[in-house]
Amino acid sequence: MARFIFITGGVVSSLGKGLASAALGALLQARGYSVRLRKLDPYLNVDPGTMSPFEHGEVFVTDDGAETDLDLGHYERFTGVAARKTDSISSGRIYSNVLEKERRGDYLGKTIQVIPHVTDEIKDFIAIGEDEVDFMLCEIGGTVGDIEGLPFFEAIRQFSQDKPRGQCIFMHLTLLPWIKASGELKTKPTQHSVKELRSIGLAPDILVCRSEGPIPQKEREKLALFCNVRPDAVIAAQDLKSIYEAPLAYHAEGLDQAVLDAFQITPAPRPALDMWEDVADRIYNPEGQVKVAIVGKYTQLEDAYKSIAEALTHGGIANRVKVNIEWVDAEIFDREDPAPHLEGFHAILVPGGFGERGTEGKIKAAQYAREHEVPYLGICLGMQMAVIEAARNVAGIARAGSEEFDHEAGEKRFEPVVYHLKEWVQGSHRVERKLDDDKGGTMRLGAYDATLTEGSRVAGIYGSTQIEERHRHRYEVDVKYREKLEEAGLCFSGMSPDGRLPEIVEWSDHPWFIGVQFHPELKSKPFEPHPLFADFVRAAKETSRLV
C-alpha cells in the first residue's frame, strides 16, 4: 500500500509546489521506488479547460482526455509517469460529484454537509489506485489560509488519521523573504504559515523554504525550533538557472533523505542520478545557440505556453544547443510587415489558441516561414493557419478561412477550409458534437492514433508510420480540400486511421515546414525529447550555420 506525501504551500502562491513535488517524485524514482503525483485544486471550475490562459496558464491534457492543471505537465516531464483523469481534481468537480449523488438519492435523505460528505469525496479521490505505487504525492493548490482550501486541508487531516501511523507525512513549502533595507532573511512569514497550518490540525514533517540564496545555519535552527520540525528537515530551495537542476539541487539539500527518514525507511537504496546529471550537463554546456520565435497571442504570460517552451528546451538538450525563445505577439502582424520582426530567427513556431484575435498575424508568420525557407512548426491552430495560408496564397482559394471565426463573428465571411468537427471515432465508438454544446470537456481530447505517409518527412522523424498523440480542439482541416492543396505542394502526410481527419501537413519542397493538429509538446521530457521538437531544433541549428 502506498505511502502518502501531502504537499502544501504558505505565505504566497507561485513558489513552485508543483516543481518541488515533481523533483521529489524523480528523486524517489531514482532510488528505485514507483510514484504517482496528484493535484487537488480549490477553485470552483470543474476543470481548467474553460479558463483563459491569462487566468491559469496552459491546460495540460492527459492520454485519457482530462483537461488538467499545468503542474501535471511538470509531474510527467520529471517522472515519465503518464498522468490520468484520476490525478487532477478541483472543488468544482468534488461539489459536482456530491450534488449528483444527492440528486440520485445516494445519501438516503441525509443533510449534505462539507464534513463528512465533501471531505469523504476528497478522501475517496486521494485513495484511488493507492495499491499501485510505493509513494503517492498529493499537492494541494493555493496557500494555507485560503477559505476555499479548508475542505482539502480537513480531508487530508482526516485521511492521515484513517491510515496507520507513519503512512502519511506533510511537506510545507514557504517563502523566506530577503529584506534588502535591513539585510536580513526573515523567518517570521514561515512561522506564521506553519502556525496557521497547525491551527487546522496539520503539522509539517518537512519544511521547504524558497529563498534567493543559502539559508544560514542560525535561521535553519530557528525555523526548526519555532516550527517544530527536525533541523535536517529544513530544506533550502534556492532559485535555479534551470528547473531541470531541481532534482540534483533538492538531493544536495537532503530532501529525499528527509522524506525517507520521516517514513523511517532505513537503510534506503542510494539514488541513481546519472540521467539528471547528463541533462544538467547538456543544459549548462551547450555547443551552440539557436533563436526561435513563438508567434502567439498569449505571449504576455509565458505559462500559457509552458509545455511548448519546455519541449523546445528538450529539443535543445537532444541537440546540445541552447534554445533562446522570443515571444512575438501575433497581433503586431495585423498592422505591420512581419519581416522586420522575424528576420534573424532560426525557426518559427506558431502554437494553438482559440478565437479569431491574432490569427491573421499567425497566417502571415506561416507565409514568411514558407517564402523565406525558415523552419516552421505549427501546432493545432498553428497548423490550421498554415493550411489557410497555403489555400489563399498558393492554391488560389482567396476567401479561405475557418468556420470558427465566422461562428465568433456571427456572419459568413470565409470559405471554411477549417470546419467545426461534429463527429469522430474514439476507440470503438463514434462521438458526436453540436455547435451549441457546453464548452467544457466537449473537444476532441486525449490520445488518438494517426497513420503517416511512407517516405514523408514526419515518418522519417518518428521512425514509424503509426503514432499516438494528444489532441485538444473542436475545429479540423476539411479533408475535401486535400486534393487541391496537395496539387499546390502541401502534403497531407498524417491522417486519422479512417482517413477522414488530417493530422499532419508538410511542404515537401521546404527545408522544414510541418503543421500538426495534435499537441506533441505534452509528451516531451528532458530525458526523452519529443522527436518533432528534437528535429525542429536540429533544423534550426542547421539554419543558424547558414546565416
Side-chain angles (χ1 to χ4, degrees):
M1 193 169 289
R3 293 179 171 92
F4 288 84
I5 305 168
F6 294 104
I7 300 102
T8 58
V11 185
V12 294
S13 59
S14 301
L15 286 179
K17 289 197 304 297
L19 180 58
S21 304
L24 176 56
L27 288 173
L28 292 170
Q29 279 185 326
R31 289 181 180 266
Y33 298 107
S34 59
V35 301
R36 179 161 288 283
L37 290 95
R38 296 215 156 117
K39 181 71 184 288
L40 294 81
D41 269 309
Y43 53 72
L44 282 172
N45 303 69
V46 170
D47 59 42
T50 55
M51 290 192 211
S52 163
F54 293 122
E55 284 282 322
H56 201 69
E58 77 166 8
V59 173
F60 189 81
V61 179
T62 61
D63 281 336
D64 57 3
E67 293 178 293
T68 72
D69 185 84
L70 60 80
D71 277 335
L72 270 73
H74 284 313
Y75 303 164
E76 278 204 24
R77 283 188 283 273
F78 278 77
T79 66
V81 177
R84 303 188 296 221
K85 284 183 178 179
T86 51
D87 293 331
S88 178
I89 200 81
S90 68
S91 286
R93 172 58 67 192
I94 292 291
Y95 281 104
S96 178
N97 290 349
V98 169
L99 293 174
E100 285 173 12
K101 289 180 179 180
E102 185 271 337
R103 293 289 85 187
R104 289 198 304 264
D106 291 4
Y107 297 118
L108 304 176
K110 291 180 180 177
T111 302
I112 311 306
Q113 296 176 289
V114 173
I115 301 171
H117 302 101
V118 171
T119 51
D120 282 352
E121 191 73 23
I122 296 169
K123 286 154 61 178
D124 289 345
F125 166 77
I126 293 169
I128 294 170
E130 64 179 330
D131 56 347
E132 298 175 1
V133 293
D134 298 318
F135 288 95
M136 193 79 80
L137 286 73
C138 300
E139 177 194 346
I140 314 300
T143 54
V144 174
D146 296 343
I147 191 169
E148 61 265 31
L150 286 173
F152 289 95
F153 293 122
E154 172 61 19
I156 63 176
R157 185 196 67 77
Q158 292 179 18
F159 190 90
S160 68
Q161 292 296 311
D162 294 341
K163 292 295 178 185
R165 187 180 297 276
Q167 200 174 333
C168 301
I169 68 167
F170 298 92
M171 183 173 108
H172 192 53
L173 189 74
T174 70
L175 176 69
L176 294 186
W178 171 259
I179 307 301
K180 188 176 180 181
S182 62
E184 291 180 299
L185 194 67
K186 306 303 289 187
T187 64
K188 191 62 71 177
T190 294
Q191 292 178 47
H192 279 295
S193 182
V194 171
K195 181 182 178 182
E196 180 78 22
L197 196 64
R198 291 169 66 83
S199 73
I200 54 179
L202 299 174
D205 300 281
I206 297 167
L207 274 182
V208 178
C209 303
R210 278 298 303 270
S211 63
E212 295 179 12
I215 303 175
Q217 187 61 30
K218 179 184 174 184
E219 274 68 26
R220 287 177 185 261
E221 292 171 356
K222 187 175 182 181
L223 285 165
L225 178 65
F226 284 93
C227 298
N228 199 35
V229 299
R230 298 172 64 90
D232 55 3
V234 178
I235 307 298
Q238 297 180 49
D239 295 346
L240 304 171
K241 291 181 181 177
S242 167
I243 62 172
Y244 299 115
E245 191 187 347
L248 298 176
Y250 276 123
H251 175 67
E253 273 291 317
L255 175 60
D256 47 331
Q257 189 60 55
V259 167
L260 296 170
D261 289 345
F263 282 116
Q264 297 185 332
I265 298 174
T266 182
R270 293 183 62 81
L273 297 171
D274 299 3
M275 178 177 74
W276 290 106
E277 287 166 354
D278 178 58
V279 167
D281 178 61
R282 287 171 174 269
I283 289 173
Y284 292 126
N285 299 291
E287 295 173 356
Q289 297 188 33
V290 296
K291 193 176 174 185
V292 177
I294 297 181
V295 182
K297 63 181 183 180
Y298 310 120
T299 53
Q300 299 94 319
L301 182 69
E302 293 182 14
D303 272 359
Y305 301 119
K306 189 66 178 174
S307 289
I308 287 177
E310 298 307 324
L312 284 170
T313 299
H314 306 161
I317 290 171
N319 291 277
R320 214 177 184 101
V321 295
K322 181 182 180 184
V323 179
N324 294 312
I325 297 170
E326 287 197 25
W327 308 89
V328 181
D329 187 347
E331 289 186 85
I332 293 173
F333 302 158
D334 290 347
R335 54 188 183 273
E336 296 181 29
D337 180 10
H341 297 277
L342 295 177
E343 285 172 356
F345 285 105
H346 305 130
I348 296 169
L349 188 151
V350 174
F354 295 90
E356 187 173 4
R357 181 175 63 84
T359 53
E360 290 299 323
K362 292 184 176 186
I363 291 168
K364 288 180 180 177
Q367 181 180 3
Y368 177 90
R370 176 179 61 81
E371 293 177 348
H372 292 80
E373 298 195 336
V374 178
Y376 176 92
L377 176 57
I379 296 174
C380 198
L381 185 67
M383 165 183 159
Q384 295 173 7
M385 297 304 98
V387 170
I388 291 172
E389 191 279 321
R392 288 182 185 177
N393 300 323
V394 185
I397 308 171
R399 292 179 55 250
S402 172
E403 201 172 28
E404 178 181 7
F405 310 150
D406 280 347
H407 290 157
E408 188 178 349
E411 59 177 310
K412 183 170 174 56
R413 298 164 296 159
F414 298 114
E415 182 171 344
V417 297
V418 176
Y419 72 104
H420 180 258
L421 187 61
K422 297 176 180 64
E423 62 176 36
W424 66 89
V425 175
Q426 183 174 16
S428 59
H429 68 281
R430 185 170 298 279
V431 180
E432 294 186 1
R433 289 284 183 262
K434 298 190 295 294
L435 191 60
D436 58 355
D437 282 348
D438 290 345
K439 297 300 181 193
T442 58
M443 289 182 276
R444 188 178 178 218
L445 288 166
Y448 287 85
D449 294 333
T451 301
L452 311 186
T453 304
E454 192 81 50
S456 64
R457 181 183 295 277
V458 287
I461 291 170
Y462 277 98
S464 173
T465 56
Q466 300 298 319
I467 63 170
E468 182 187 78
E469 294 284 2
R470 297 177 188 174
H471 293 66
R472 183 178 182 250
H473 61 99
R474 58 170 56 90
Y475 290 86
E476 187 86 42
V477 173
D478 196 333
V479 73
K480 75 181 183 183
Y481 291 94
R482 176 177 181 175
E483 185 177 346
K484 192 164 188 177
L485 286 164
E486 289 199 321
E487 286 174 1
L490 185 66
C491 174
F492 283 56
S493 54
M495 299 291 293
S496 60
D498 62 5
R500 296 177 62 186
L501 304 177
E503 295 279 12
I504 306 175
V505 297
E506 59 183 70
W507 284 106
S508 49
D509 60 350
H510 190 284
W512 208 101
F513 192 109
I514 293 173
V516 296
Q517 185 59 72
F518 47 83
H519 289 269
E521 71 275 14
L522 299 178
K523 297 179 81 167
S524 188
K525 304 166 187 69
F527 45 83
E528 189 184 335
H530 192 285
L532 273 177
F533 278 90
D535 205 62
F536 179 58
V537 174
R538 179 203 58 76
K541 185 177 175 182
E542 292 297 317
T543 302
S544 72
R545 291 172 176 168
L546 298 173
V547 174

